[in-house]
Amino acid sequence: MSISGKVDPVVRSVATTDIAEALVEGLRDFQAVPLYGLCFGGLYAAGGIAIMLCLTAFGMVYLVYPLAAGFALIGPFVAIGLYEVSRRRERGEPVSFAAIWSAIRSRSEIGWMAFVTLFVFVIWMYQVRLLIALLLGLHASFSSLQEFMTVVLTTNEGLLFLAIGNAVGAALSLILFSLTVVSFPLLLDREVDFVTAMVTSVRAVVTSPLPMIGWAAVIVILLIVSALPYFLGLVVTLPVLGHATWHLYRRLVAPMA
């Protein structure tokens, strides 16, 4: 039983073929209603560009790389509108921005999941700044991203920063992935509390560890690569992954009896 007194969702195991099929179905959803995918993907990319410009303006261009890596952490939250698009298409219901917004607003628990997601993202950015201070100097400052990358790749301290930073980032990504991969779709689909949603999400990862870790790797790699060309690749990558996540959720969590 969940903390709300309701029966916990039933989690099913998945295989690598389910991941591939979910991706194909996600691509089909994007092709069927590209306007919504392009809008949500565009907002995601625009957010990344805006943050990057702010970092540049404040002389913190060296945080652009960590930002690109950490931006994948908030993807599940940004893609929630895409889950609703796929849900409506699945049910044969009309799709509109008003309907999407109404569905999201009606699920108050989504706000708590959003807080969890953004909290982890903030932790990621703060630990990057802490590592820079500890390993590269308390008052370390770099005039350009190229200067920062040169220091990171050609000094012992820089290589240590890169190793520790990527290890911490991988750990945070895995934790957040485990908490959110099923949570957001589940909260849209059913009346459950956000704690139950997170527990169900973790159960889904534990039930099918290899396929799910593989799915996490696919998401992170695609989002990071898409973010490199000024975040513009996210315009297409985010909607495909968002729609695919919904279809994978359908395979992971059994329908209500």
Side-chain angles (χ1 to χ4, degrees):
M1 299 288 287
S2 67
I3 63 173
S4 61
K6 299 179 181 179
V7 177
D8 285 330
V10 177
V11 172
R12 300 180 292 196
S13 62
V14 296
T16 305
T17 52
D18 291 296
I19 305 295
E21 290 171 3
L23 272 172
V24 172
E25 291 174 341
L27 181 59
R28 287 174 182 164
D29 276 359
F30 176 56
Q31 291 173 331
V33 282
L35 173 62
Y36 300 95
L38 292 174
C39 284
F40 285 109
L43 286 173
Y44 192 44
I49 293 172
I51 296 175
M52 182 177 65
L53 291 176
C54 288
L55 292 177
T56 302
F58 286 104
M60 303 171 70
V61 69
Y62 53 88
L63 289 178
V64 169
Y65 166 70
L67 170 67
F71 215 53
L73 297 175
I74 61 174
F77 167 52
V78 179
I80 191 167
L82 298 166
Y83 307 151
E84 179 62 14
V85 171
S86 290
R87 188 179 77 93
R88 288 183 167 272
R89 289 198 70 243
E90 181 182 276
R91 295 186 175 191
E93 299 176 356
V95 180
S96 68
F97 286 110
I100 294 170
W101 177 242
S102 177
I104 294 174
R105 285 189 61 188
S106 67
R107 298 289 194 265
S108 59
E109 295 291 316
I110 288 176
W112 289 106
M113 278 307 308
F115 173 79
V116 172
T117 301
L118 294 175
F119 180 71
V120 174
F121 178 70
V122 170
I123 290 177
W124 160 251
M125 295 305 294
Y126 266 104
Q127 69 87 25
V128 169
R129 192 65 188 93
L130 177 62
L131 286 176
I132 289 176
L134 291 176
L135 299 176
L136 304 182
L138 186 61
H139 302 290
S141 180
F142 306 92
S143 59
S144 67
L145 181 59
Q146 181 179 0
E147 180 184 349
F148 171 70
M149 294 306 295
T150 298
V151 171
V152 168
L153 296 175
T154 60
T155 65
N156 291 333
E157 295 82 2
L159 292 173
L160 183 60
F161 163 79
L162 195 62
I164 296 177
N166 284 332
V168 173
L172 286 175
S173 296
L174 182 58
I175 291 171
L176 191 60
F177 170 81
S178 299
L179 293 174
T180 62
V181 64
V182 163
S183 297
F184 283 110
L186 180 59
L187 289 171
L188 268 179
D189 193 37
R190 305 185 192 179
E191 291 284 354
V192 298
D193 57 88
F194 81 101
V195 175
T196 298
M198 289 193 294
V199 171
T200 303
S201 190
V202 172
R203 286 170 53 214
V205 174
V206 172
T207 301
S208 307
L210 292 181
M212 294 306 291
I213 290 176
W215 177 233
V218 168
I219 292 174
V220 171
I221 291 172
L222 287 179
L223 288 181
I224 290 178
V225 170
S226 300
L228 293 181
Y230 299 100
F231 297 93
L232 296 179
L234 297 172
V235 175
V236 173
T237 303
L238 178 76
V240 173
L241 290 176
H243 291 309
T245 297
W246 171 264
H247 291 290
L248 183 59
Y249 155 73
R250 280 303 196 201
R251 288 170 164 76
L252 285 166
V253 179
M256 289 186 294

